[in-house]
Amino acid sequence: MKASQLPLLKHFADHCPHLFCQRVRVNPDIFDVILDQISDHLIFSNQSHNHQLPVAIQLAMFLNCVGHYVNAISPEYVAQWAGISTGSVINCTNCVMVAILDQHDTFMQFPALDSEDVAISRAYIQENSCPEWHNGILAADGSAFHLHAKPTLHGKTFFDRKSNYSLNCQVSILICLFFVIFARLPQLVILPHNLLIADYGIGFPRSVHDAYAFQYTWTSREHVELLGDWHWVWADSAYPSEPWCVVPFKKPRGGGS
C-alpha cells in the first residue's frame, strides 16, 4: 500500500512525456517552470524536525488532484499513488495552493497599451483582418466552472441553461490568434505565446446573465483607464454594445431587417 508511483514521473518526463502529462496534466517543461516559481515560498519551510516532502513531490500531488474531476480523484487515491498518508496529501495540497495563489499579481496583470503583447496583438489583427480593426485587442466571454454538487446555500441559482451547477467566470483575453481559434474554443481565447489572460471576474452563479456579470469586472469598471479612447474589447451578442465593447450586429427590435 506504501509503494509510491512517484519515481515513475522521472522516467515519464525523460522517455514518455505523454504519460507524464496524463498524471500531472502539464508537460515536463511547464512543471519545471511552476516548480521554480514556488520552491522558495516560506510555506515550504518550518522549524519542525519532521521535514516536509520535497516541493516537487508536493507539486506533483497537487497537480494530480486538480487535474482530475469528481470520481476520477480523491485524497485516498492520491495517497495510494504517492505512497503517503491521506493527511499528508491534504497538507501538501494546501501548501502548494497557498504558494501558487501568492503568484497571482505576478502573472495576472492588465497589459499596458504600449507593451509588446499589445503590439503583437494589433499587428496580427491588422494583418489578418483590416487596419481599422487593429485596436480591438481583447476578447471577452463567459466560461462555466462546473461544481461537483448542488450548493447547500441558494443552490438553485447555480443551475445553468445546460443543466449543470456552475459558477460564472468572465474572462478578458489578449488577442493574437483570435480569428483562427475562436470558433473552436467558444469559451476562452488565448494568446499562444504566453497564454495571457488580462482580466477575470468570478463569484456569480452561472444562472446570472453574462452581461450582468461582466459589469463587475475590472475591464468594464475601469475601461477608460485601461483601454483609452481608441481600443476596445470584442464580445458576442450577449454583451452590451459600447464604444469600448464591440459586439455583432443585433437584430432590430420588432424583427425588422
Side-chain angles (χ1 to χ4, degrees):
M1 294 297 292
K2 293 293 184 181
S4 173
Q5 298 182 45
L6 288 172
L8 289 174
L9 288 179
K10 175 62 177 174
H11 174 79
F12 291 159
D14 295 336
H15 304 288
C16 307
H18 67 286
L19 294 179
F20 183 94
C21 193
Q22 285 181 6
R23 300 300 186 276
V24 297
R25 315 308 292 179
V26 296
N27 64 46
D29 292 336
I30 297 298
F31 183 92
D32 290 340
V33 170
I34 299 173
L35 183 62
D36 289 342
Q37 289 293 138
I38 68 173
S39 291
D40 295 333
H41 198 282
L42 293 177
I43 196 70
F44 299 116
S45 60
N46 55 38
Q47 303 301 320
S48 173
H49 295 294
N50 296 322
H51 296 290
Q52 293 191 36
L53 290 169
V55 180
I57 291 178
Q58 296 193 50
L59 177 60
M61 290 190 295
F62 171 81
L63 293 175
N64 187 268
C65 285
V66 300
H68 297 83
Y69 185 63
V70 195
N71 295 330
I73 202 69
S74 68
E76 291 76 15
Y77 171 86
V78 178
Q80 187 176 14
W81 175 70
I84 61 174
S85 68
T86 302
S88 294
V89 171
I90 295 173
N91 290 337
C92 292
T93 300
N94 291 340
C95 287
V96 175
M97 190 176 299
V98 169
I100 289 178
L101 288 177
D102 278 353
Q103 299 289 324
H104 179 277
D105 292 344
T106 301
F107 292 97
M108 283 301 306
Q109 297 181 359
F110 202 96
L113 297 180
D114 58 354
S115 66
E116 181 182 0
D117 287 323
V118 170
I120 293 173
S121 177
R122 281 199 296 254
Y124 185 87
I125 294 171
Q126 180 169 336
E127 180 181 350
N128 290 274
S129 57
C130 60
E132 289 77 12
W133 286 7
H134 76 286
N135 282 334
I137 56 173
L138 293 170
D141 204 353
S143 181
F145 285 1
H146 291 177
L147 303 176
H148 171 58
K150 177 183 178 181
T152 303
L153 187 63
H154 306 303
K156 292 182 179 179
T157 63
F158 292 86
F159 195 72
D160 62 28
R161 61 186 178 85
K162 296 184 178 179
S163 301
N164 296 306
Y165 293 99
S166 58
L167 291 172
N168 187 321
C169 179
Q170 295 293 311
V171 185
S172 297
I173 303 153
L174 194 63
I175 304 172
C176 185
L177 294 183
F178 172 77
F179 297 100
V180 175
I181 66 175
F182 184 74
R184 283 176 282 168
L185 297 176
Q187 294 299 327
L188 298 177
V189 186
I190 60 175
L191 185 66
H193 79 277
N194 63 4
L195 309 181
L196 182 60
I197 297 177
D199 186 24
Y200 70 92
I202 190 169
F204 285 104
R206 192 66 181 103
S207 59
V208 170
H209 196 279
D210 283 348
Y212 182 83
F214 185 62
Q215 296 179 53
Y216 292 88
T217 62
W218 190 30
T219 302
S220 178
R221 289 175 175 265
E222 305 294 337
H223 58 85
V224 175
E225 175 185 350
L226 297 174
L227 299 173
D229 295 329
W230 301 105
H231 295 81
W232 65 86
V233 178
W234 299 100
D236 62 31
S237 57
Y239 291 79
S241 179
E242 303 284 353
W244 55 272
C245 184
V246 177
V247 302
F249 289 111
K250 297 183 179 181
K251 188 175 182 180
R253 291 183 180 179
S257 58

